[in-house]
Amino acid sequence: MKEYDVVVIGGSAAGISAAITARRFYPEKSILVIRREKQTVIPCGIPYVFGELSTCSKNLIPDGVLTNNRIDLLVDEVTDIDREGHVVKTTGGEQVRYSKLVLATGSLPIVPPIPGVEKKGVYAIKKSAPYLEEMIAAMDKAKDILIVGGGFIGVEIAEEANKNRDVNVRIVEMLEHCLLLNYDEEFSTLAEETLRSQGIELYVSERAEAFLGGEQVEKVKLSDGKELPADVVVLGIGAKANAELAKKVGLEIGPTGGIQVNRYMQTSDPDIFACGDCAEKVSFYDGTPSRLKLASIATMEARIAGANLFSIRRANEGVIGVYSTILGNTAFCAAGLTEREAVERGYKVITGTAESVNRHPGSMPGAAPLKVKLVFEAGTHILLGGQVSGAKSAGELINAISACISNRMTADDMATFQMGTHPALTASPIAYQLVNAAEVALASER
Amino acid sequence: MKEYDVVVIGGSAAGISAAITARRFYPEKSILVIRREKQTVIPCGIPYVFGELSTCSKNLIPDGVLTNNRIDLLVDEVTDIDREGHVVKTTGGEQVRYSKLVLATGSLPIVPPIPGVEKKGVYAIKKSAPYLEEMIAAMDKAKDILIVGGGFIGVEIAEEANKNRDVNVRIVEMLEHCLLLNYDEEFSTLAEETLRSQGIELYVSERAEAFLGGEQVEKVKLSDGKELPADVVVLGIGAKANAELAKKVGLEIGPTGGIQVNRYMQTSDPDIFACGDCAEKVSFYDGTPSRLKLASIATMEARIAGANLFSIRRANEGVIGVYSTILGNTAFCAAGLTEREAVERGYKVITGTAESVNRHPGSMPGAAPLKVKLVFEAGTHILLGGQVSGAKSAGELINAISACISNRMTADDMATFQMGTHPALTASPIAYQLVNAAEVALASER
């Protein structure tokens, strides 16, 4: 029987990061990653295989990240765990003894029980290279592509499906706007304008009620009775924790269906850790269960799990939720609570928005608008969330906001924030959006 | 006699920001800005008037920022302050009574007592549009431009002077490398390679000993005896606080020559505040006097001074120092202490460096390398400083680092930092540089 100090089940963002972290802090330990897929798809890159990258082969995590870190790899499926004996068993008949086990089994796309969902041409978004290649081929032949769900994955796939193809792309979203779980309305409507300007049709406040046609999908019936043509349907409505193996071996499951973990990412079996989409999460704000699933959260949890396997004790403070995307040339980024979400959670809030070009003077090359909205708790003035739209530097600016949230900075702290500025890189120090948004919020309360 | 609730002396970054902040928090107060210059040059944009912008007229702060905020403007020079009577007096014969006064008189370029410094063709960098236009004209006619000082201003002006001109550009720097006060050697040498690749000649570990020629400068003699041709010389060796007026009226002056202020930005006269380059500063780290002078520090101090004029009490925590620049296509950004500076100050440190492309997969368009170095105190693991080079998103990533410094985050906090990532905007969550640099530093200590 093979024996390893550390066995990691799952080879995507969480599994790889847990293994690398374990290697970093425990150079003498033997580490094995077991994954089902021959090749690991970069999860966040999936929408781009349909357009920009045009093939899944450009969107793979190279196995070098494992071999370079002296991490062994077994491509196989784990079917059972003998917790007592500390042994995992695979489809391929392997038995591997572990000292510590990490479950990083990820998530599965939600497939809603809509009539006709089984028809040919209806796709969920599976993290499987052969499946994604089949989707690309189907899109290449399609005349009408319909995306169910106008969240991040949905809008990104819509935009990519629309690139270099003579197709009609339509999004069906049940809320009043696309991206409304992550942005306040003023950002969502800006995102929608960007999509519409590319010829993408949006059907908001609508549900897909049935997929019509023969063996192959031909039409989608909406809740208002309208029928839209569709030879490819993509279901982009979210994912659920893949906790099947954990359930089977009796590990505790949490309220949202993820593998229950403590702050150290330990499951109910102290020698088994879990991290990433398969693990139960709590909110940074109030500790209540959270359904957030993001690769960046997965790697954060993996760095906690991987470090904690032996002598270290890192703690998970709960998830903030930091998102970035780009539609057309406009980046859309968000961290923490939107104004809408904060109010729904019972906060009294003050908000401030500041917009300015990301260069100074504005005649510097590459100048583009950049808008920041900040949401603070009234009274305490603690930062709850931020949203950014505009220039690509938003992708790192949102991380500055995340740092401010995680440190529970107040609006006054942020108004006197010590930023670096440069004519060719940022707004001027007078107009710097992060600081001015905080000032606007404070002034609104006086 | 005119009367204002608030009079601000100085119309650059600090003066404007102090006035706008006062307006934001005290909508009913009357505010006057008095400045000497007809037009205000954007200070950080000055190097770019010599190249990219080609004229000073594209690098002015529009007076609309004042009028839009109901701030009056007087173009005149204040020559005296009657502190007892709360009255300022100007060259133009105006007398203005104030309730609160803000000194934002900025800095003056240091002109070293080098023989021949008075010759025609030798320029300091004055924040004056006519003076800068004269410099542009001189550069346009020049064959040999020599920059004394390889700090930020020096290297930026060198690069811009070299654009669209058939000239030889040379930098003379007394330290072993350019930018060595702001970066560790590995970043400085990368910056130097970028400069050399553009044909700029560097003379390091050298001083300018004399400016030779007749009325007009013709040559510069270096400390090793070498003589370099030069028909334009630019002195880029720093600036000193312009505290003349404050001195004249008996305000206390600090150890570095700036106007002494308390944490609320009040001078020794409680009705007079000072902010920006003219004000004395202390280090965020140990509270010792600091000579840092940056527009972003100026606006931070101005937001404290402007808010504190009446009922608010914001406190200045001391300066961190956050710098950004771009040479060629490579951004160079730094916040807080370099490894070298930390060691000089007596810290025992651990450091970590992580480099990766700023896209994932690397085949996404716009992919460029991005390197992060973090410096932590050994033992406490508190972040002391960070340096970033590479893609333009460095300009905001350094601000995430600044947020981490100001909150005294530890390497463990940063290793489990909740960042947002996106294929078209950042590195992958597995390779995210900020987090991995912290991990590398921690692993180095085990």
Side-chain angles (χ1 to χ4, degrees), chain B residues 11-245:
Chain B
S12 188
I16 291 173
S17 292
I20 290 175
T21 307
R23 167 56 65 238
R24 203 166 250 156
F25 290 107
Y26 308 108
E28 73 293 352
K29 300 292 188 189
S30 57
I31 305 172
L32 174 71
V33 166
I34 306 178
R35 71 166 191 237
R36 211 167 36 184
E37 305 79 13
K38 271 194 195 147
Q39 298 177 306
T40 306
V41 173
I42 299 178
C44 331
I46 288 174
Y48 301 93
V49 307
F50 303 118
E52 193 64 55
L53 301 174
S54 77
T55 162
C56 214
S57 62
K58 286 192 189 163
N59 188 49
L60 300 171
I61 302 181
D63 287 339
V65 300
L66 299 177
T67 48
N68 293 344
N69 285 289
R70 294 183 290 117
I71 297 162
D72 290 347
L73 172 65
L74 172 64
V75 176
D76 204 340
E77 185 166 16
V78 174
T79 50
D80 207 357
I81 304 167
D82 168 7
R83 285 170 51 192
E84 189 84 23
H86 283 56
V87 174
V88 301
K89 299 168 187 177
T90 74
T91 316
E94 296 272 7
Q95 300 212 359
V96 185
R97 180 164 288 144
Y98 64 86
S99 167
K100 304 287 178 180
L101 182 65
V102 179
L103 299 178
T105 48
S107 55
L108 298 169
I110 293 172
V111 179
I114 298 173
V117 75
E118 74 294 342
K119 286 189 196 302
K120 199 158 169 286
V122 180
Y123 295 92
I125 302 149
K126 296 185 187 168
K127 292 167 193 159
S128 147
Y131 184 88
L132 294 170
E133 290 294 350
E134 187 192 318
M135 283 179 73
I136 296 170
M139 283 189 186
D140 288 344
K141 277 179 275 178
K143 293 213 141 176
D144 295 281
I145 299 174
L146 187 139
I147 319 284
V148 181
F152 276 103
I153 298 280
V155 298
E156 289 178 355
I157 291 183
E159 190 171 293
E160 295 300 312
N162 199 41
K163 279 185 186 164
N164 311 317
R165 287 191 186 90
D166 183 20
V167 286
N168 302 304
V169 176
R170 300 178 178 93
I171 297 176
V172 177
E173 165 59 43
M174 65 180 195
L175 299 177
E176 314 91 90
H177 294 288
C178 291
L179 294 171
L180 208 51
L181 294 181
N182 307 105
Y183 297 98
D184 283 318
E185 196 173 314
E186 64 268 37
F187 289 83
S188 287
T189 52
L190 184 61
E192 288 177 340
E193 283 168 29
T194 310
L195 292 166
R196 286 201 184 96
S197 73
Q198 298 171 66
I200 295 167
E201 294 174 22
L202 306 181
Y203 297 83
V204 296
S205 304
E206 291 273 13
R207 290 165 184 274
E209 296 258 297
F211 303 114
L212 310 177
E215 194 189 333
Q216 157 75 38
V217 69
E218 288 167 21
K219 285 181 186 174
V220 178
K221 187 179 170 191
L222 302 189
S223 40
D224 72 347
K226 209 181 278 106
E227 292 186 2
L228 299 173
D231 29 28
V232 167
V233 170
V234 181
L235 303 171
I237 56 175
K240 60 185 177 198
N242 177 13
E244 290 312 309
L245 179 63

Side-chain angles (χ1 to χ4, degrees), chain A residues 314 396 402 412 418 420 432, chain B residues 314 396 399 402 412 418 432:
Chain A
R314 284 180 173 170
E396 294 295 358
S402 174
D412 260 301
Q418 300 197 36
Y432 191 67
Chain B
R314 284 180 173 168
E396 295 294 358
N399 291 330
S402 174
D412 259 302
Q418 300 197 35
Y432 192 68

Side-chain angles (χ1 to χ4, degrees), chain A residues 205-350:
Chain A
S205 304
E206 292 272 13
R207 288 166 185 272
E209 295 258 299
F211 302 116
L212 310 176
E215 194 189 334
Q216 157 77 36
V217 69
E218 288 167 20
K219 286 180 187 175
V220 178
K221 188 177 168 192
L222 302 190
S223 39
D224 74 347
K226 208 182 278 111
E227 292 186 1
L228 298 174
D231 30 27
V232 166
V233 169
V234 181
L235 303 171
I237 54 176
K240 60 184 179 201
N242 178 14
E244 290 312 308
L245 180 62
K247 239 181 249 175
K248 178 177 174 183
V249 301
L251 294 177
E252 202 178 312
I253 302 298
T256 80
I259 305 168
Q260 188 64 52
V261 287
N262 63 15
R263 281 176 189 267
Y264 302 141
M265 305 311 294
Q266 272 171 310
T267 68
S268 51
D269 179 334
D271 287 333
I272 305 181
F273 292 69
C275 55
D277 284 1
C278 69
E280 189 69 22
K281 298 170 204 327
V282 296
S283 163
F284 168 80
Y285 296 94
D286 57 10
T288 55
S290 167
R291 290 180 184 277
L292 286 180
K293 286 179 178 56
L294 287 167
S296 55
I297 292 175
T299 57
M300 178 271 284
E301 293 180 345
R303 291 186 185 101
I304 296 172
N308 288 353
L309 289 172
F310 299 97
S311 55
I312 300 174
R313 277 295 171 263
R314 284 180 173 170
N316 186 340
E317 304 289 333
V319 295
I320 291 173
V322 190
Y323 305 85
S324 290
T325 191
I326 183 163
L327 298 172
N329 286 316
T330 307
F332 290 88
C333 308
L337 306 183
T338 60
E339 181 178 0
R340 175 192 170 110
E341 194 181 357
V343 169
E344 280 170 4
R345 284 174 177 243
Y347 284 99
K348 189 158 176 266
V349 301
I350 57 171

Side-chain angles (χ1 to χ4, degrees), chain B residues 200-322:
Chain B
I200 295 167
E201 294 174 22
L202 306 181
Y203 297 83
V204 296
S205 304
E206 291 273 13
R207 290 165 184 274
E209 296 258 297
F211 303 114
L212 310 177
E215 194 189 333
Q216 157 75 38
V217 69
E218 288 167 21
K219 285 181 186 174
V220 178
K221 187 179 170 191
L222 302 189
S223 40
D224 72 347
K226 209 181 278 106
E227 292 186 2
L228 299 173
D231 29 28
V232 167
V233 170
V234 181
L235 303 171
I237 56 175
K240 60 185 177 198
N242 177 13
E244 290 312 309
L245 179 63
K247 238 181 248 174
K248 178 176 172 182
V249 301
L251 295 177
E252 202 178 310
I253 301 299
T256 79
I259 305 168
Q260 188 65 52
V261 287
N262 63 15
R263 281 177 189 267
Y264 303 140
M265 307 310 294
Q266 273 170 310
T267 68
S268 51
D269 178 334
D271 286 333
I272 304 182
F273 292 70
C275 55
D277 283 2
C278 69
E280 189 70 22
K281 298 171 205 323
V282 296
S283 163
F284 169 81
Y285 296 94
D286 57 10
T288 54
S290 167
R291 291 180 185 276
L292 287 180
K293 286 179 179 57
L294 287 167
S296 55
I297 292 175
T299 58
M300 177 269 283
E301 293 180 343
R303 291 187 184 102
I304 296 172
N308 288 354
L309 290 173
F310 299 98
S311 55
I312 300 172
R313 277 294 170 268
R314 284 180 173 168
N316 187 340
E317 304 289 334
V319 295
I320 291 172
V322 190

